[in-house]
Amino acid sequence: MVTTDEIVAEEKQSSNFDLASYLEEKKQLVEAALERSLSIGKPEKIYEAMRYSLLAGGKRLRPILCLATCELTGGTTEMAMPTACALEMIHTMSLIHDDLPAMDNDDYRRGKLTNHKVFGEDIAILAGDGLLAYAFEYVAAQTQNVPPQRILDVIARLGRTVGAAGLVGGQVLDLESEGKSDISVDTLTFIHTHKTGALLETSVVSGAMLAGASDDEIQRLSKYAQDIGLAFQIVDDILDITATQEELGKTAGKDLQAQKATYPSLWGLEESRKQAQQLVDAAIAELASYGEGAEPLRAIASYIVTRKH
């Protein structure tokens, strides 16, 4: 669980906004919605495998970003919650598949055994497939009080985000880059803006799309999300070196073992921290026109560079 000390200790904010309480409140709403979203059916094993990973905890940052931007741009939690749940389903699918032996080959995720270690590789692959398909069904069937065109736009955006133009494409280039010593910063950034950043960006933008935000708002929020997405990955690379397995909830040092290019391997730790902070500062600057209403997004951006897991 995200604690107040972890979040607030190094925040560079003049407001009294309590991010720890905000995240905990929103996380509880998301957890309850996820629990309701997927019940056990037949065959039971596949539903159990899907629920095992979907309900395994985590920060729930992506659904929270969706809810936050929907509210910021005039929408409601109710309008955005089905999409928020779908984002977490897609994210969970990516983690299940990423942990497979053919990919990053990890035994732990969020402090628990990975899906394939509990259910086997075959069921883990199918659990990821099931969650991905169900994400689109859930947005289409459960979104209420939103004009149909906005729902279609969100569904199209989700499809692009998870496909070859987004997450899948980034993962392919990541796999192809393992063990190579000549990976450039541009290539590394391409990998992570697609593999990690694309889903974070869509999490931010989809909430605003559901609320009917203007094109200018979408553009500003997209830039905010791109900056925090890249900062998030830089910090992930740093934590892979500096954090313990207990702090991360997954195996530490995996990037080094896999001979992956990372920002610290190219820049060093201090420059990586500096670059992450610059990205967060730029992201916060994109929110200037929103006033106090954007405090959750500002605080989340600051949290990204101070988090410990």
Side-chain angles (χ1 to χ4, degrees):
M1 190 181 88
V2 178
T3 66
T4 302
D5 288 344
E6 287 176 322
I7 296 169
V8 177
E10 295 179 292
E11 274 188 8
K12 298 179 178 179
Q13 298 182 75
S14 58
S15 76
N16 293 319
F17 181 75
D18 186 347
L19 178 60
S21 295
Y22 177 86
L23 289 178
E24 186 59 28
E25 175 192 346
K26 295 297 186 187
K27 181 179 175 179
Q28 287 182 15
L29 290 174
V30 170
E31 295 284 2
L34 288 170
E35 174 66 42
R36 293 192 301 269
S37 73
L38 184 62
S39 56
I40 299 290
K42 290 186 177 181
E44 292 182 2
K45 179 178 280 190
I46 189 62
Y47 288 96
E48 289 170 354
M50 291 163 70
R51 283 174 59 88
Y52 175 82
S53 293
L54 183 64
L55 304 179
K59 293 178 283 292
R60 306 305 192 191
L61 187 60
R62 290 156 189 81
I64 290 172
L65 283 167
C66 178
L67 300 180
T69 53
C70 189
E71 292 172 350
L72 176 64
T73 51
T76 65
T77 295
E78 290 72 24
M79 292 167 64
M81 189 59 82
T83 298
C85 289
L87 288 159
E88 194 64 17
M89 292 172 193
I90 291 171
H91 179 52
T92 301
M93 173 279 299
S94 74
L95 300 181
I96 293 171
H97 285 179
D98 200 41
D99 290 334
L100 288 166
M103 301 285 225
D104 278 0
N105 191 22
D106 215 327
D107 293 346
Y108 291 93
R109 174 70 67 174
R110 292 170 171 169
K112 302 174 66 175
L113 285 171
T114 46
N115 198 289
H116 69 275
K117 284 293 179 180
V118 177
F119 296 95
E121 291 179 38
D122 48 2
I123 297 299
I125 292 168
L126 293 170
D129 293 345
L131 284 168
L132 178 59
Y134 189 49
F136 292 94
E137 177 187 345
Y138 201 72
V139 174
Q142 298 299 323
T143 306
Q144 303 293 324
N145 301 317
V146 177
Q149 186 59 52
R150 294 184 196 170
I151 300 173
L152 286 172
D153 290 344
V154 166
I155 290 171
R157 175 87 189 211
L158 288 171
R160 179 175 178 81
T161 297
V162 79
L167 190 154
V168 167
Q171 179 70 59
V172 168
L173 193 54
D174 189 30
L175 291 169
E176 290 181 343
S177 299
E178 282 188 16
K180 294 183 179 178
S181 59
D182 59 346
I183 302 302
S184 67
V185 170
D186 286 346
T187 298
L188 189 60
T189 298
F190 182 94
I191 290 169
H192 293 310
T193 54
H194 289 72
K195 182 181 175 182
T196 303
L199 191 58
L200 267 172
E201 183 179 353
T202 293
S203 299
V204 170
V205 170
S206 59
M209 291 169 68
L210 290 165
S214 68
D215 290 343
D216 285 345
E217 284 183 294
I218 295 291
Q219 187 173 355
R220 283 198 300 274
L221 290 168
S222 289
K223 184 62 170 64
Y224 161 87
Q226 289 164 12
D227 287 339
I228 67 166
L230 192 51
F232 190 94
Q233 183 58 52
I234 293 172
V235 172
D236 251 14
D237 286 356
I238 293 169
L239 291 175
D240 188 70
I241 297 170
T242 62
T244 65
Q245 178 170 322
E246 289 71 29
E247 288 172 319
L248 291 177
K250 59 182 179 180
T251 307
K254 287 286 292 182
D255 293 339
L256 187 61
Q257 293 173 22
Q259 296 182 295
K260 282 190 174 184
T262 65
Y263 289 102
S265 72
L266 296 176
W267 288 336
L269 282 172
E270 287 310 309
E271 181 63 20
S272 296
R273 290 188 179 103
K274 179 182 175 182
Q275 293 285 342
Q277 186 62 58
Q278 288 176 351
L279 285 163
V280 165
D281 291 344
I284 290 172
E286 294 293 335
L287 305 173
S289 63
Y290 286 109
E292 291 185 5
E295 279 306 306
L297 294 184
R298 292 189 189 94
I300 287 170
S302 294
Y303 160 61
I304 281 172
V305 290
T306 61
R307 66 193 176 94
K308 301 294 185 287
H309 57 83

